[in-house]
Amino acid sequence: MEVERIQALAAVGLDTLPAQFVRPSHEQPENSPAVEGVFVPVISLSQPHHALIREIHEACRDWGFFLATDHGIPLELTGQLQEAGREFFRLPQEEKEKYANDPSRKNFEGYGTKMTKNPDEKVEWVDYFFHFMHPSGKVRHEIWPRHPPSYREVTEEYNKEILKVTEVLLELISDGLGLEKNVLKASLGGDQMELEMKINLYPPCPQPQLALGVEPHTDMSVVTILVPNDVPGLQVWKDGNWFAADYLPNALFCHIGDQIEVLSNGKYKSVLHRSLVNKEKTRMSWAVFCAPPQEALIGPLPELINDQNPAKYSTKMYAEFRHRKLNKLPQ
């Protein structure tokens, strides 16, 4: 199946945006601007533990989102990861197509362009590369980019670092919920918890005020840990308004996902967010989704429900949750 790639479309030098990318009026960034002067939470992971727990709790409860600094991932490694991703997307189109995925056949790993349309038949302005990083039994190195040659080594090193950060975040979130620090990880498959890498490329767009890189959504993951390049575009929803999550050098953008909302019985909210695009510059992001194994049963944790606070979510296998989410079915 031949797919029109956004990067190739942008390279033609369009003056106007093709109709399938023009969002409904109420979704267009020019008609739904972000609130000015309010900043998303920024949390140093090196501060005293009691203060850290309080800030994590407040951010997860009020925003479902925060920027994490002092996280321990070497700046040099993040730079190498980003350069490897940029190099892949610089390859000739025919080279990139060798890695093409086919979501229609449930083959989601590889090089893709999101063709799953919403009810308005609108398409997002983004290409991507997606693959598993952990656990080793899920990793298919044969579909990872072979160019640049550094891709595998750098990504495997980054995986080790993200595993450490994920474990720390899950312990902090458990603490914030008043649980033993290992409860969330144990509920999510322990060492079989999955990490998925998605490199998003948002090329320059001729009319960015009319388009979206990614439409408003929540992540079905447990947490998403993302690093962007320096072109802004991520916005999060809170109290009926959009708020810009501006670039902060060497910060991790941390999203609370649907599974934390379910496990916490709604105490922490999965963050609704969207991605804007830029007229002059290419925006990129490297998102790592932490998810339970497909067979994991996910529901409100027993410690967080009682007669006064009954379960607000059903318990189901993550595979079923994922199927319902992807097909826009009620949970």
Side-chain angles (χ1 to χ4, degrees), residues 134 184-194 293:
H134 179 84
L184 280 180
K185 183 179 177 182
S187 303
L188 295 163
D191 291 336
Q192 293 306 301
M193 200 164 46
E194 297 172 359

Side-chain angles (χ1 to χ4, degrees), residues 20 31 76 114 149 152 171 193 209 240:
Q20 69 266 34
N31 295 329
E76 181 183 11
K114 186 176 177 188
R152 177 170 171 175
E171 288 180 359
M193 200 164 46
Q209 73 278 13

Side-chain angles (χ1 to χ4, degrees), residues 3 66-67 74 140 201 254 285 312:
V3 176
F66 56 92
L67 303 189
R140 297 167 56 208
L201 179 110
C254 301
S285 65
K312 300 173 184 174

Side-chain angles (χ1 to χ4, degrees), residues 151-301:
Y151 186 91
R152 177 170 171 175
E153 180 183 354
V154 167
T155 303
E156 287 181 336
E157 192 60 34
Y158 190 71
N159 173 61
K160 293 176 189 174
E161 296 293 336
I162 284 289
L163 276 170
K164 294 178 197 171
V165 172
T166 301
E167 190 148 335
V168 168
L169 289 180
L170 290 178
E171 288 180 359
L172 292 170
I173 294 168
S174 288
D175 276 339
L177 289 167
L179 304 168
E180 294 292 325
K181 68 179 184 179
N182 64 340
V183 166
L184 280 180
K185 183 179 177 182
S187 303
L188 295 163
D191 291 336
Q192 293 306 301
M193 200 164 46
E194 297 172 359
L195 296 186
E196 307 158 353
M197 167 66 80
K198 186 165 180 256
I199 308 173
N200 297 301
L201 179 110
Y202 309 94
C205 177
Q207 294 177 292
Q209 73 278 13
L210 304 179
L212 288 174
V214 177
E215 64 191 26
H217 69 288
T218 62
D219 291 343
M220 70 178 85
S221 58
V222 179
V223 291
T224 302
I225 301 173
L226 177 147
V227 290
N229 67 354
D230 60 357
V231 180
L234 179 66
Q235 296 185 345
V236 298
W237 183 259
K238 180 180 182 290
D239 300 332
N241 291 291
W242 290 108
F243 295 85
D246 292 332
Y247 173 70
L248 183 66
N250 204 28
L252 299 174
F253 289 48
C254 301
H255 301 67
I256 297 301
D258 295 342
Q259 304 314 302
I260 292 290
E261 179 168 333
V262 171
L263 287 160
S264 73
N265 203 33
K267 287 183 78 170
Y268 293 168
K269 296 297 184 186
S270 183
V271 63
L272 185 71
H273 56 287
R274 68 179 184 179
S275 293
L276 274 55
V277 290
N278 190 286
K279 186 169 186 175
E280 310 296 336
K281 298 177 180 178
T282 294
R283 181 169 177 265
M284 290 187 73
S285 65
W286 288 254
V288 176
F289 303 101
C290 169
Q294 297 287 306
E295 65 277 8
L297 276 175
I298 306 295
L301 290 165

Side-chain angles (χ1 to χ4, degrees), residues 48-58 171-173 175-176:
H49 192 70
H50 65 282
L52 180 54
I53 297 300
R54 186 187 71 250
E55 289 189 16
I56 290 281
H57 169 70
E58 291 173 354
E171 288 180 359
L172 292 170
I173 294 168
D175 276 339

